[in-house]
Amino acid sequence: MTASLMIVMYHYVRPIAESRYPAIKGLEFEHFRGQLDFIAKHYRVVRADEVIAAMRGEAELPERAALLTFDDGYSDHYDHVFPELVARGMQGSFFPPACSVLDGRVLDVNKIHFVLASGVDPRQLVGEIFAVLDTHRTSHGLKRNAEYYRTYSSESRYDTPDVTFIKRILQKGLPQALRSELIDQLFRRYVTADERGFAESLYMNTRQLRELHAAGMCLGSHGDRHRWLNTLSPVEQRQEIERSLTFLQELGVPARDWVMCYPYGGYDDSLLEILRDKQCAMGLSVEVGLADLTRNDPLLLPRLDTNDVPFSAATGLDAFKWADTSLVAARHSLT
Ligand SMILES: [Zn+2]
């Protein structure tokens, strides 16, 4: 049986060069179209329910199966991705955090992206963050700036140390209240004071999500507030999952055999237990690799980033590292 599955992860997909934020880290729309051409030529895009059936041994996936996943519920996905997928008869799986759709708030993760894309020098931002930490050190019992920098500057394969530090200290490194206050301050200073208007243009709304679902696209959970779920207590984790499931069920998603996509890839044992209890059938991590459906835990499937996959059908399969499905076995034999 074919057990190998290439799961591709996407975030922003837009005509970036001509947009208001040309520095945003995302996928240029023309590259997305080229990548779909590459995938259509060499792979068979499968549906999320086909993957679930295959993991249960109830069905087999075709050779070179691929699953396309879109995180964060951006309106990019409605405006640019959805029409391309429909035109090619491909299913995508979409993961909108509940609160970004329901509350008119911009998620902290996105505020940080747009602050970084605003043109401000990351060094300057690091200095501003240090200055805020200095004024709150005693009241919040904070560590020394250099210690935070050492801990958080090296956690990513995509960004420079300064940018990684800014993202991680603001995503999870500080006490929640201080983090939100600092992020809001930077967002207002460098991006906009109109958070609601920004949220409305950044995220899909419920009408658009219903339309995706009605057209056969898969909608899954990305939590409620896009938190690092492994930093929360089991009670908070359960709340995140329950709120997100209520939101999805209002959009017509069934209460069992649903798909989880961990914000930032963060999970732990207590979260997995909650997911099993809630009849989650598939979980997507940000571990990099091909999924092996006979070996992976169904709740911990690895993915490739879009940047790991060619942007043009002109690229041959022999030039694509992950076309070699033996990489699955090689990777696992190391562990
Ligand atoms: Zn996300």
Side-chain angles (χ1 to χ4, degrees), residues 174-206:
L174 297 174
Q176 166 76 33
L178 178 57
R179 214 150 43 75
S180 298
E181 187 190 317
L182 182 51
I183 292 170
D184 280 349
Q185 191 182 313
L186 295 172
F187 185 71
R188 278 196 304 272
R189 184 178 307 153
Y190 293 111
V191 184
T192 178
D194 177 19
E195 181 171 346
R196 178 165 284 274
F198 198 89
E200 277 167 11
S201 67
L202 183 59
Y203 304 117
M204 287 187 274
N205 56 39
T206 50

